[in-house]
Amino acid sequence: MSQNLSEQELIRRENLQKMIDLGLEPYPSKTFPVTHLAKEVHEGFKEGSTDFQEVTLAGRFMSRRIMGKASFAEIQDSSGRMQIYVSRDDICPGENKDLYNQMFKKLLDLGDFVGVTGHAFITKTGTLSIHVKEFTLLSKSLKPLPIVKTDAEGNSYDEVTDPEFKYRQRYVDLTVNPEVRETFVQRSKMINAMRNFMAEKGYLEVETPVLQPMYGGAAARPFKTHHNTLDVPFYLRIANELYLKRLIVGGYDGVFEFAKDFRNEGMSRFHNPEFTMMELYVSYKDYEWMMDFTEEMLEYVALQVHGTTDLQVGENTISFKRPWKRYTMFGAIEHFTGIDCSEMDEEALRQTAKDLGIHVDKELGKGKIIDEIFGEKCEHELIQPTFITDYPVEMSPLAKKHPTKPGIVERFEGICNAKEICNAFSELNDPIDQRQRFEDQLELGKRGDEEAMQLDEDYLRALEYGMPPTAGIGIGIDRLAMIMTNQKSIQDVLFFPQMKPERAVVSEADNETD
RNA sequence: GGUCGGUUAGCUCAGCUGGUAGAGCAACGCCCUUUUAAGGCGUGGGUCCUGGGUUCGAACCCCAGACCGGCUACCA
């Protein structure tokens, strides 16, 4: 395959060859003995101290200011940048000045990986620097990086803002935009905090199948695939709920899984075809307990990630301080519209929706209409973390019925920043009721609801052996990460959000005919 | 899916009522041993997203397509 190289790429290839000609290895393999990160030197160095007299750092070469026989440059490692001071006669003590005059001044390009050894000092202008006595090339870069420059006022120049560039070439985005690296560090801290919190309670982290013979546990269209040897279809999971509850049947007190789920639906700034869900099931608990647990865990997570429960998210300050506000679904609708629809039948609900200017499709059942009204009139009002409880039974086929409120299940959703971030219920463990609910779903499916659930005989068999009373929750990790990292789009909390393939990639794939 | 907008140098962008392209940074050459968006002088770099069309002439107008984005629809 031929490459059309730009002028700058050709020059870099020439520089690479000239380095080889000088006897330099452009891609050495030996472990490079890094002793410090840039951040450690920045935080630890005090002027006049005798520490940091011999430090070794490695990173990308990000800027260079040549002043004749000496130069300043910056290298960037995972922790940040460090200025280095390179003088010709220090790195070339002998007669041969090639390392400075040729390699450092001419052949080295921005983006190359280098290693330096030297001592820390403060320059006349007060900048901490490493006075380099050994300079090593660690890896040559052949493509120019769009390096961002920032002036004294904090204005940045040439920042890569094109979303397509950022998402397709995330490695470049991460290299040149430190705040992007930080977003993903925070995401990782968030997940670790949740994991530690649950492990601390004694719950077991498990793994369940991604390839499932039958999809379930949520209402969504699946991706379908095929296993060649078994010659059967498989679905990529849309949820892991039913498998985790099988493990509760098997006797664990608490199981959780951070799971990639897959839904074959639209994409938006809140939806990616593959996304991460954390599901947790705890035996002998109910949804009331789970609300308390959720508040406690997310307060802990906010503190772990940010050291505070008050987070700035867009225009709003969102507080994860316990307790959250709680509404029943009918209560929320009444609160935001003034209409009490708790006693209405399907026709009255349909009319109410119409009166509120909400379009509802004919095939929607009672539960879906209520959900439409809630989604249209209430959800966007809920900025602070809020629990909505008592969902209609029709839209909750895996949740236990409320003991005193007919037509209602013991379920809650957590809403934050106008979006659902979690969904939980007292799990339905009555196998006869569960069979009936599945059959109702089949009926909805026949009416045209493409997301109605399938009937899972093995799951019913498990329930027939007996499942203890159990509380379960699913937390949308990506949406929670958007809140915890103050990002507007799910694409900004996923390293590699789903995109259409680039054209070159498509044409190669088209050649595969089998 | 609908709709509106975008695509010009490695990056960020300008380019008027149509006359075959510019700036800053980056790159290249020369000068400079504590600079910092380093500086000074000089130089090169373009499939104007793709394919058609209109026109003497298209980055610009028209048609079709690709990709990206905003809103919207769908979406537990």
Side-chain angles (χ1 to χ4, degrees):
Chain A
M1 189 175 126
S2 68
Q3 282 178 285
N4 292 322
L5 297 178
S6 69
E7 181 193 37
Q8 291 192 41
E9 289 173 304
L10 288 170
I11 288 166
R12 284 178 179 234
R13 278 169 164 73
E14 284 167 19
N15 288 346
L16 170 68
Q17 187 55 50
K18 286 176 188 166
M19 285 173 158
I20 292 168
D21 295 344
L22 279 177
L24 294 162
E25 168 54 72
Y27 300 104
S29 62
K30 257 193 154 64
T31 296
F32 186 75
V34 174
T35 62
H36 291 78
L37 292 173
K39 192 177 173 188
E40 292 169 343
V41 182
H42 278 294
E43 286 175 355
F45 186 77
K46 300 277 183 298
E47 184 144 29
S49 97
T50 52
D51 297 331
F52 302 104
Q53 288 310 292
E54 175 150 327
V55 297
T56 299
L57 285 78
R60 271 193 203 270
F61 195 65
M62 294 299 271
S63 74
R64 173 172 48 192
R65 297 180 286 277
I66 296 172
M67 291 160 302
K69 298 183 188 64
S71 301
F72 286 93
E74 284 175 298
I75 62 173
Q76 171 178 295
D77 64 21
S78 64
S79 72
R81 289 196 184 188
M82 174 59 68
Q83 177 167 278
I84 61 174
Y85 173 75
V86 180
S87 84
R88 188 191 67 183
D89 296 334
D90 286 329
I91 66 166
C92 306
E95 286 297 306
N96 184 342
K97 305 296 185 191
D98 280 349
L99 186 64
Y100 184 78
N101 286 339
Q102 295 302 315
M103 200 277 263
F104 182 84
K105 278 172 68 178
K106 295 186 178 173
L107 305 182
L108 201 64
D109 291 304
L110 298 189
D112 290 353
F113 281 91
V114 299
V116 298
T117 299
H119 67 270
F121 76 109
I122 307 278
T123 65
K124 279 181 191 166
T125 52
T127 304
L128 175 64
S129 307
I130 304 295
H131 190 131
V132 176
K133 66 169 196 247
E134 277 178 52
F135 191 93
T136 312
L137 175 69
L138 296 176
S139 181
K140 186 88 192 79
S141 162
L142 297 181
K143 283 178 95 66
L145 281 172
I147 292 175
V148 182
K149 286 198 162 195
T150 307
D151 69 15
E153 280 83 51
N155 303 311
S156 54
Y157 299 81
D158 298 342
E159 184 173 8
V160 175
T161 53
D162 176 13
E164 181 174 4
F165 190 107
K166 286 164 67 75
Y167 301 149
R168 286 202 197 280
Q169 301 186 50
R170 183 69 91 180
Y171 34 88
V172 175
D173 189 31
L174 289 165
T175 300
V176 302
N177 293 322
E179 70 282 3
V180 175
R181 280 202 302 282
E182 180 57 23
T183 294
F184 288 98
V185 169
Q186 287 180 354
R187 180 185 166 119
S188 177
K189 277 185 190 168
M190 178 189 100
I191 290 171
N192 275 334
M194 292 174 73
R195 177 173 278 129
N196 292 340
F197 187 86
M198 290 184 288
E200 192 67 26
K201 304 265 184 195
Y203 307 145
L204 188 70
E205 183 167 11
V206 299
E207 294 175 276
T208 63
V210 173
L211 287 176
Q212 302 180 348
M214 146 175 278
Y215 58 96
R221 280 181 289 165
F223 286 92
K224 193 176 181 180
T225 184
H226 183 263
H227 189 282
N228 288 344
T229 303
L230 297 177
D231 192 25
V232 290
F234 275 106
Y235 300 94
L236 300 185
R237 67 180 167 201
I238 59 174
N240 44 356
E241 167 148 2
L242 300 183
Y243 281 93
L244 290 174
K245 285 195 279 193
R246 284 172 170 96
L247 298 180
I248 294 294
V249 169
Y252 294 109
D253 290 320
V255 290
F256 66 95
E257 179 173 14
F258 287 90
K260 268 289 180 77
D261 291 342
F262 304 83
R263 297 187 184 177
N264 205 342
E265 294 172 341
M267 292 159 63
S268 76
R269 82 194 170 89
F270 294 104
H271 300 86
N272 196 65
E274 62 179 283
F275 63 100
T276 304
M277 175 96 93
M278 194 295 297
E279 291 191 37
L280 166 71
Y281 295 84
V282 184
S283 56
Y284 312 113
K285 310 293 188 192
D286 69 0
Y287 78 132
E288 297 276 357
W289 176 90
M290 187 61 89
M291 277 191 266
D292 297 340
F293 176 89
T294 303
E295 285 174 344
E296 189 187 341
M297 178 163 70
L298 294 189
E299 183 180 274
Y300 173 80
V301 167
L303 287 169
Q304 289 296 303
V305 176
H306 291 288
T308 170
T309 53
D310 291 343
L311 313 184
Q312 191 63 38
V313 182
E315 307 282 289
N316 304 307
T317 301
I318 291 180
S319 173
F320 279 95
K321 186 106 188 105
R322 285 179 287 171
W324 299 8
K325 194 149 195 155
R326 298 181 187 190
Y327 287 110
T328 64
M329 179 164 253
F330 289 127
I333 291 173
E334 189 170 355
H335 180 81
F336 290 109
T337 68
I339 299 168
D340 176 8
C341 42
S342 56
E343 306 293 327
M344 291 182 184
D345 61 14
E346 185 169 326
E347 268 322 299
L349 282 166
R350 201 175 291 280
Q351 188 57 45
T352 302
K354 207 175 164 187
D355 294 344
L356 289 168
I358 302 163
H359 172 77
V360 283
D361 287 334
K362 273 211 173 65
E363 65 265 23
L364 293 189
K366 191 176 162 185
K368 284 264 186 178
I369 299 173
I370 296 169
D371 192 42
E372 280 291 317
I373 296 172
F374 174 80
E376 204 63 37
K377 292 291 164 191
C378 308
E379 201 171 49
H380 62 275
E381 304 283 347
L382 300 171
I383 302 301
Q384 297 303 321
T386 305
F387 289 124
I388 302 297
T389 60
D390 293 0
Y391 281 70
V393 64
E394 295 89 336
M395 54 187 297
S396 313
L398 301 168
K400 193 177 266 186
K401 282 176 183 157
H402 195 284
T404 59
K405 299 177 184 172
I408 296 296
V409 289
E410 292 197 344
R411 169 179 174 183
F412 72 83
E413 286 192 1
I415 315 281
C416 179
N417 209 25
K419 275 284 162 188
E420 177 197 341
I421 55 168
C422 61
N423 180 20
F425 22 89
S426 303
E427 301 297 334
L428 177 55
N429 61 345
D430 173 345
I432 294 170
D433 190 359
Q434 184 66 75
R435 180 175 294 277
Q436 185 59 48
R437 303 279 194 95
F438 275 142
E439 282 169 1
D440 293 346
Q441 285 291 305
L442 294 179
E443 200 54 41
L444 282 178
K446 282 182 196 155
R447 282 175 68 176
D449 188 342
E450 285 190 64
E451 296 170 349
M453 285 186 197
Q454 299 178 305
L455 191 149
D456 187 333
E457 277 295 348
D458 176 70
Y459 177 66
L460 289 170
R461 178 168 62 191
L463 289 190
E464 285 169 9
Y465 281 105
M467 182 169 85
T470 299
I473 187 168
I475 298 180
I477 293 299
D478 308 296
R479 289 190 185 172
L480 186 61
M482 286 168 65
I483 292 166
M484 290 283 170
T485 64
N486 188 20
Q487 295 298 323
K488 288 194 203 57
S489 168
I490 196 169
Q491 298 177 107
D492 293 319
V493 297
L494 299 172
F495 277 126
F496 303 104
Q498 200 58 245
M499 302 191 86
K500 285 201 185 179
E502 287 181 271
R503 216 178 311 179
V505 178
V506 171
S507 61
E508 281 179 31
D510 284 347
N511 293 333
E512 292 175 20
T513 49
D514 61 330

